[in-house]
Amino acid sequence: MSDNVDLVLRQWQSERPDLDASPMGVVGRIQRAARLLERGLRDHFATHDLQLWEFDILATLRRSGPPYRLTAGALVDTSMVTSGAITNRIDRLAAKGLVTREVDPDNRRSVFVTLSDQGRKLVDDIVDDHVRNERELLGALDQNDQDRLADLLRTLLTGLDDVPEPHSEP
């Protein structure tokens, strides 16, 4: 069985037989898989009238545990977006009534973002369906393959210094 990345590698082999393009195979497959998985997630959340980033923020707040509140800075750390982008996203979620925002009384430069009751209900209502969708997206891999892939990707990510900040772990 062959994939689209194999075609790219064959083309490089033909044009530059002196080049070991094997890293392109790994990185290219990760990039393509990420795009295809993101499309599958985006399409799924659209059926719930949500965007992927909206669910990500709501789910981050939900899994943080009671009182389901984080600083905007903590949300920036988990979402890999800029502080300006997170402010815009929080504004949009607040306008929908899914989160509330309040200034930290102990540090007026810090803002707390809290999952509203409506936001919590929304996450709880769709998270099972979300996991089911992810299971379907990974359907080409059996559980052992998924576990092995998760281990390999964890090793790659930690090697790329994608590790939790000391303050992000309970």
Side-chain angles (χ1 to χ4, degrees), residues 14-52:
S14 173
E15 294 300 313
R16 288 283 312 273
D18 61 308
L19 179 69
D20 175 11
S22 60
M24 289 181 180
V26 175
V27 173
R29 285 184 177 95
I30 290 171
Q31 289 178 320
R32 288 184 66 83
R35 282 195 289 274
L36 292 167
L37 290 168
E38 186 170 328
R39 182 173 62 197
L41 294 172
R42 196 174 49 243
D43 291 350
H44 172 74
F45 286 121
T47 67
H48 294 285
D49 199 28
L50 277 179
Q51 293 189 37
L52 175 56

Side-chain angles (χ1 to χ4, degrees), residues 69 101-112:
R69 176 185 358 193
R101 172 196 350 228
E102 60 190 273
V103 174
D104 179 349
D106 297 328
N107 178 358
R108 308 251 340 129
R109 294 180 306 174
S110 184
V111 174
F112 284 124

Side-chain angles (χ1 to χ4, degrees), residues 47-167:
T47 67
H48 294 285
D49 199 28
L50 277 179
Q51 293 189 37
L52 175 56
W53 67 262
E54 290 174 308
F55 181 81
D56 283 344
I57 291 173
L58 297 174
T60 298
L61 290 166
R62 175 64 176 96
R63 69 177 184 265
S64 73
Y68 311 110
R69 176 185 358 193
L70 294 170
T71 64
L75 288 171
V76 167
D77 291 344
T78 62
S79 63
M80 294 179 58
V81 297
T82 65
S83 59
I86 204 70
T87 298
N88 180 276
R89 290 174 178 194
I90 292 166
D91 288 344
R92 292 171 64 183
L93 291 169
K96 288 183 168 187
L98 300 173
V99 300
T100 61
R101 172 196 350 228
E102 60 190 273
V103 174
D104 179 349
D106 297 328
N107 178 358
R108 308 251 340 129
R109 294 180 306 174
S110 184
V111 174
F112 284 124
V113 180
T114 305
L115 190 62
S116 70
D117 290 342
Q118 178 185 348
R120 182 175 172 195
K121 181 178 180 341
L122 178 62
V123 172
D124 287 346
D125 286 349
I126 65 176
V127 71
D128 290 331
D129 195 34
H130 165 57
V131 172
R132 196 170 15 265
N133 180 55
E134 287 188 333
R135 189 170 285 111
E136 289 173 15
L137 290 170
L138 296 173
L141 303 174
D142 67 26
Q143 191 59 55
N144 287 334
D145 287 341
Q146 289 179 37
D147 293 342
R148 281 197 337 248
L149 180 58
D151 288 342
L152 290 169
L153 290 171
R154 182 181 306 104
T155 300
L156 176 61
L157 289 170
T158 58
L160 293 170
D161 205 29
D162 185 29
V163 295
E165 296 290 324
H167 67 276

